[in-house]
Amino acid sequence: MSFGYSQVTNEHLYNGASSLSMAGSDVAFKNATWSIFINPAGLAEENVLSVVHSTESIFGLSIFKHSQTGVGFSLPTIGKVGLSLDHFSANYQGRSISEETSMGFHHGLALQKDNNSTLLFGYSIRLQRLALGLSAGNTGDGSDGIDLGTHSSLGMDIGFLATLRDRFRFGSMVYNINQPQIGASSSTVDLPRRLRLGIAYSPYDLVWTTMGLSRSVGHLSQISSGMRYEILDGVYLRSGIQTNPNRFGSGMSYNWRKFTFTYGFLTHPILGLTQQFSFEFTRL
């Protein structure tokens, strides 16, 4: 159960290749429909139909598979909403060790908006399901193990986003604010609760710089910083660094008509390279 707890997908900080390449420092950045996963308050800035998807190679290990899919759209009554599906699985020698699925509903709305500033609020409600495989059994390979069962929980996140003159952005996000638990009886554990704070600043139109602070209950704080630079029309270079552990990320994205393709990677001081590819389709 401890393995499943440590790999719960809602603890994943790098949602989309752009977030990975900026080392997760983008909680205050304008992320369009990727705001579904990063900060739902950002949905209030969008009025278009869009679809996003990403696949990730975690530490270069084939036993881990992680993918995310989201769609954002506007409803006449409540405004911009989003639906998401987040899936993570661990398999070894053809056997499933764990499988985690998170299905979410997200909503962003504007609390205040004028010509110079905005204050946005968003929330996410996620149904999280953890399916564990068979125990090791007498043989040790799981062929004669027992079914460890399936568990589910309902989590809620809230986020805020403030902007000033399209140059300064301030964001905050609280994950699992309702303190959800997963498991049963003596194996019940609290899902990770995390606070993220961030700022973003654009000194001129082609460049954005970001900085973030992330703290999970019972763990050390992580500080990250990133940059996005438009090197050509529709071509963006991204990079970022992170502490605890020290990691470096970079990547590029390309806008072609209604599509955006992004690649990003993130190093690790001990484990292998994590890579992610994502795309976004937007219909105006």
Side-chain angles (χ1 to χ4, degrees), residues 115-158:
N115 292 332
N116 296 315
S117 63
T118 62
L119 178 60
L120 313 175
F121 169 76
Y123 64 90
S124 300
I125 300 174
R126 293 172 293 103
L127 176 62
Q128 301 164 105
R129 176 181 176 272
L130 171 63
L132 297 175
L134 300 177
S135 65
N138 294 327
T139 61
D141 62 2
S143 60
D144 59 347
I146 61 173
D147 188 355
L148 297 179
T150 300
H151 306 274
S152 60
S153 182
L154 195 67
M156 184 173 182
D157 314 326
I158 61 171

Side-chain angles (χ1 to χ4, degrees), residues 4-264:
Y5 168 71
S6 66
Q7 295 294 336
V8 171
T9 53
N10 73 301
E11 182 71 346
H12 196 74
L13 299 181
Y14 318 108
N15 301 282
S18 61
S19 181
L20 183 80
S21 59
M22 297 173 72
S25 62
D26 56 344
V27 68
F29 192 61
K30 188 172 184 178
N31 288 295
T33 300
W34 282 109
S35 298
I36 289 174
F37 301 98
I38 300 170
N39 187 345
L43 286 172
E45 297 181 295
E46 301 295 319
N47 292 309
V48 297
L49 171 66
S50 58
V51 178
V52 297
H53 178 74
S54 75
T55 57
E56 183 176 22
S57 170
I58 301 177
F59 305 129
L61 300 174
S62 60
I63 63 173
F64 296 138
K65 297 185 183 300
H66 182 225
S67 64
Q68 295 176 302
T69 302
V71 56
F73 52 94
S74 295
L75 294 178
T77 305
I78 63 175
K80 187 66 179 287
V81 299
L83 302 175
S84 67
L85 177 64
D86 195 329
H87 183 264
F88 172 87
S89 64
N91 298 274
Y92 183 66
Q93 295 184 348
R95 300 185 186 277
S96 174
I97 298 175
S98 70
E99 185 174 354
E100 304 159 21
T101 304
S102 175
M103 296 177 289
F105 171 81
H106 316 267
H107 181 209
L109 62 154
L111 301 180
Q112 182 272 333
K113 182 178 292 188
D114 56 36
N115 292 332
N116 296 315
S117 63
T118 62
L119 178 60
L120 313 175
F121 169 76
Y123 64 90
S124 300
I125 300 174
R126 293 172 293 103
L127 176 62
Q128 301 164 105
R129 176 181 176 272
L130 171 63
L132 297 175
L134 300 177
S135 65
N138 294 327
T139 61
D141 62 2
S143 60
D144 59 347
I146 61 173
D147 188 355
L148 297 179
T150 300
H151 306 274
S152 60
S153 182
L154 195 67
M156 184 173 182
D157 314 326
I158 61 171
F160 290 90
L161 187 62
T163 68
L164 178 63
R165 296 184 180 274
D166 295 327
R167 294 293 184 189
F168 298 91
R169 300 172 65 89
F170 308 88
S172 63
M173 185 73 180
V174 181
Y175 297 88
N176 290 320
I177 194 172
N178 61 324
Q179 301 184 24
Q181 295 181 324
I182 199 166
S185 62
S186 60
S187 64
T188 300
V189 295
D190 295 322
L191 292 184
R193 284 174 289 143
R194 181 177 289 270
L195 169 67
R196 297 181 69 188
L197 302 173
I199 60 174
Y201 169 64
S202 175
Y204 58 97
D205 292 342
L206 300 180
V207 175
W208 276 95
T209 58
T210 59
M211 181 168 289
L213 170 67
S214 180
R215 177 66 185 268
S216 183
V217 174
H219 297 275
L220 295 174
S221 298
Q222 294 176 316
I223 299 175
S224 57
S225 180
M227 176 272 295
R228 191 200 73 173
Y229 176 54
E230 186 175 4
I231 56 177
L232 296 171
D233 186 26
V235 180
Y236 300 89
L237 174 66
R238 292 178 170 87
S239 64
I241 55 174
Q242 173 198 296
T243 65
N244 293 327
N246 297 333
R247 309 180 73 175
F248 168 76
S250 187
M252 294 185 68
S253 64
Y254 173 62
N255 294 344
W256 178 71
R257 296 183 180 179
K258 298 180 181 180
F259 294 89
T260 300
F261 303 92
T262 307
Y263 166 79

